[in-house]
Amino acid sequence: MPNPSRLRAAALTATAVLLSSVLAGCGDGGKDDDEDLTAQKLSWEDCPAPSAAEGGGAAPSPLPNGGEWQCATMKAPLDWGDPKGDTIDLALIRAKASGDESKRIGSLIFNFGGPGGSGVTTLPAFGQDYAALRTRYDLVSFDPRGVGRSAPVECESDQQLDAYFQQDATPDDSAERTKLLDNTRRFNAACEKNSQRILPHVRTTDAARDLDLMREVLGDDKLYYFGISYGTELGGVYAHLFPKHVGRAVFDAVVDPTQNPEQGSLGQAKGFQLALDNFAEDCTSKEELCPVGDSPQDVKDRIAQLLKDLDRKPIQGIFPRQLTQTAATNGIAQALYSKEFWQYLTEGLQEAYDGDGRILMSLSDSMNGRNDNGEYSNIAAANVSINCADDKPRYSADYVERKLPEFRAASPLFGDFLAWGMVSCTDWAVPGAADHPDVSAPGSAPILVVGNTGDPATPYEGARRMVEALGKGVGVELTYKGQGHGSYDSKNKCVQGAVNGYLLNGKVPAAGTVCT
């Protein structure tokens, strides 16, 4: 089943949307041998309400300082190996630049991560955070292929997903292990049955080629790009394929491009454990009493006991579902994506200790893309599909069991959860492309790489490795000593000043700059 290591930045997006409101949206094309896709003209119109695959909700509201959100579709080849063959429609959204047209630089394209997150719904949800960048750029995002309105991958029904996400994702015996593997095979078979046309074509290299087509269609000579979490991997792959097309680019919450899936999952076990340690320390260091423990260790011991109790006997969640050990672990991980959500974790734990699992289940639902109406976005389906198409390794259950001690040492709370997540691609229909992405980009313009020392989902060490992998003279590292997944959205003035200075004025900060 999906887990924190695989969902990356999409989880943060989903929680923010859950705690405020879901916004915005924008098909599948045929074949036209005579069509030059680089010459296509986009028809920008008012955005409709998001589709079910995008998460549902209302159409995006106008920007606070004026300006409307507009949506369009762009045709791209289904198979980039046959660029004159069948096409698919990719959903785009934009807010036009608010400043003087003579000072407009171009379109700044965002990818918020996942993989599997809908940029068409996420950009409006966070649009005001990028108001400074909008003074010189059209803000643009999109649903990558396989996501939302862009030829979405479809797997199981909403009812089937409810059962799938209630399963025990950390089996304790052979019967539980067999059930987990059977459920994973069933989910993967449903993806193949319902989406076999698109599954071979959702690799990150495909999305990177879509980005370059988007750049041309939007009228830019260079790609101006802001990638967050998995969006940094997509940006790195783009820079490798098209180094001479890179304009000003920022990578925030950086995926380590040197790691295979196992190494990434183990690193994130350490990352989420660090975030939990920081949460426990923060709660118990305040003047007022911490309601979920008397000391940092007590906080973690009580959480561990709660999960152990839920493994034996779930409690009431959001009726009619119960809060299981898996859902609670998922919800705790979700809250660790941002320090702003720690208050919800405290409240959720308090209520769970009293037998009420609704808050933790709401957090888990947001991780899984489930709305209040019981409908799921396709984030889980797209996430698995893109990861399994990208990642070559396939891990057996026996292999995972041999690795459990190492994962438990990295995180007593999240180790099993993240280790068993490695079986999600074992029976996947499409072979994976590589052990890890190639992001070497000699000849590229500078790319600002921002790492957060307290990031649970993309641990800080990944930023340095991305800089090294991009190559000499390309990656420029900036460190933020903070908490949560990502740095720019922390609203730290130092981070935002450096990012804005580069994107707006071309001023590259000194390598090794540290923001606190």
Side-chain angles (χ1 to χ4, degrees):
M1 65 174 292
N3 60 58
S5 74
R6 311 300 282 174
L7 284 174
R8 299 173 185 161
L12 176 60
T13 298
T15 297
V17 169
L18 171 75
L19 300 175
S20 54
S21 59
V22 184
L23 305 171
C26 285
D28 185 8
K31 181 177 181 179
D32 185 346
D33 289 336
D34 298 324
E35 184 176 19
D36 178 5
L37 295 179
T38 63
Q40 63 184 296
K41 302 297 182 184
L42 300 182
S43 178
W44 293 100
E45 300 175 348
D46 291 343
C47 293
S51 68
E54 289 174 310
S61 302
L63 288 155
N65 59 345
E68 300 287 338
W69 293 103
Q70 299 175 311
C71 286
T73 57
M74 182 189 80
K75 290 188 180 299
L78 169 66
D79 180 357
W80 274 103
D82 180 20
K84 292 188 178 298
D86 288 351
T87 62
I88 56 174
D89 288 346
L90 303 183
L92 278 65
I93 189 168
R94 77 172 180 187
K96 296 190 72 173
S98 61
D100 186 338
E101 177 64 25
S102 66
K103 296 182 180 180
R104 177 183 175 276
I105 296 171
S107 294
L108 181 62
I109 302 177
F110 290 79
N111 181 281
F112 295 94
S118 165
V120 171
T121 58
T122 305
L123 182 58
F126 292 94
Q128 191 54 30
D129 293 348
Y130 305 107
L133 299 175
R134 188 176 162 235
T135 59
R136 300 194 67 188
Y137 290 100
D138 295 347
L139 304 185
V140 176
S141 194
F142 63 108
D143 290 351
R145 54 176 58 218
V147 176
R149 289 184 186 268
S150 298
V153 175
E154 298 176 0
C155 296
E156 293 189 322
S157 68
D158 291 339
Q159 186 176 11
Q160 289 171 318
L161 287 172
D162 269 348
Y164 181 68
F165 288 123
Q166 289 291 90
Q167 71 178 316
D168 189 338
T170 55
D172 300 313
D173 54 42
S174 59
E176 290 182 352
R177 170 177 138 161
T178 297
K179 188 173 182 179
L180 173 65
L181 297 177
D182 286 347
N183 288 340
T184 301
R185 291 189 191 100
R186 191 177 300 115
F187 178 90
N188 292 357
C191 298
E192 182 181 11
K193 177 183 177 181
N194 296 323
S195 304
Q196 57 183 341
R197 178 172 180 259
I198 189 66
L199 286 188
H201 307 296
V202 295
R203 293 189 171 100
T204 298
T205 49
D206 297 313
R209 295 185 186 281
D210 293 339
L211 263 181
D212 201 54
L213 176 62
M214 199 178 302
R215 171 192 63 78
E216 287 196 77
V217 171
L218 292 170
D220 289 336
D221 293 332
K222 301 285 187 178
L223 178 75
Y224 303 101
Y225 182 76
F226 199 136
I228 301 164
S229 198
Y230 163 78
T232 67
E233 181 177 324
L234 174 58
V237 170
Y238 179 92
H240 172 69
L241 294 175
F242 307 103
K244 299 298 185 182
H245 295 177
V246 176
R248 300 172 189 171
V250 172
F251 295 174
D252 187 7
V254 187
V255 172
D256 186 338
T258 70
Q259 293 183 329
N260 64 29
E262 177 188 344
Q263 293 166 333
S265 293
L266 185 62
Q268 292 192 355
K270 297 174 183 176
F272 277 96
Q273 187 63 46
L274 174 63
L276 183 68
D277 293 345
N278 291 337
F279 161 76
E281 179 69 35
D282 179 77
C283 187
T284 56
S285 66
K286 296 175 181 177
E287 291 185 6
E288 63 269 25
L289 290 176
C290 174
V292 291
D294 297 329
S295 68
Q297 190 59 50
D298 185 43
V299 171
K300 290 180 284 187
D301 288 344
R302 292 188 67 188
I303 293 173
Q305 187 61 51
L306 171 67
L307 296 178
K308 187 176 181 180
D309 292 344
L310 290 173
D311 193 28
R312 291 194 303 266
K313 185 179 180 181
I315 62 176
Q316 187 60 53
I318 298 174
F319 185 82
R321 295 173 299 145
Q322 293 186 313
L323 181 74
T324 62
Q325 179 193 45
T326 296
T329 306
N330 215 32
I332 292 166
Q334 174 71 307
L336 294 175
Y337 270 81
S338 172
K339 190 172 183 179
E340 292 180 7
F341 304 150
W342 287 4
Q343 61 180 312
Y344 302 108
L345 178 54
T346 300
E347 293 173 19
L349 290 171
Q350 280 183 277
E351 294 197 0
Y353 294 146
D354 291 332
D356 183 348
R358 286 177 295 178
I359 291 178
L360 290 184
M361 180 157 273
S362 291
L363 289 164
S364 181
D365 283 349
S366 70
M367 173 82 87
N368 297 329
R370 188 186 195 273
N371 66 22
D372 292 340
N373 297 325
E375 298 171 334
Y376 285 85
S377 73
N378 89 315
I379 188 170
N383 178 265
V384 173
S385 301
I386 296 167
N387 281 321
C388 294
D390 277 347
D391 297 337
K392 187 175 182 179
R394 300 291 187 251
Y395 302 104
S396 69
D398 289 343
Y399 183 84
V400 169
E401 289 195 334
R402 292 197 299 271
K403 289 292 181 175
L404 284 175
E406 188 176 359
F407 274 79
R408 288 168 180 164
S411 175
L413 188 69
F414 298 107
D416 281 44
F417 192 60
L418 287 160
W420 282 109
M422 294 194 299
V423 303
S424 60
C425 295
T426 300
D427 298 291
W428 195 251
V430 177
D435 289 334
H436 56 80
D438 190 345
V439 301
S440 60
S444 168
I447 296 173
L448 181 58
V449 179
V450 187
N452 182 346
T453 58
D455 197 315
T458 50
Y460 170 66
E461 294 79 11
R464 172 62 55 83
R465 292 175 186 148
M466 175 66 82
V467 167
E468 293 171 350
L470 287 168
K472 188 175 181 180
V474 178
V476 178
E477 185 177 11
L478 183 148
T479 295
Y480 170 51
K481 292 186 175 181
Q483 302 294 334
H485 188 44
S487 302
Y488 190 90
D489 61 3
S490 71
K491 299 179 175 58
N492 178 273
K493 291 183 178 180
C494 172
V495 172
Q496 292 193 339
V499 170
N500 293 349
Y502 181 46
L503 289 176
L504 294 174
N505 302 311
K507 182 180 178 181
V508 182
T513 295
V514 177
C515 294
T516 57

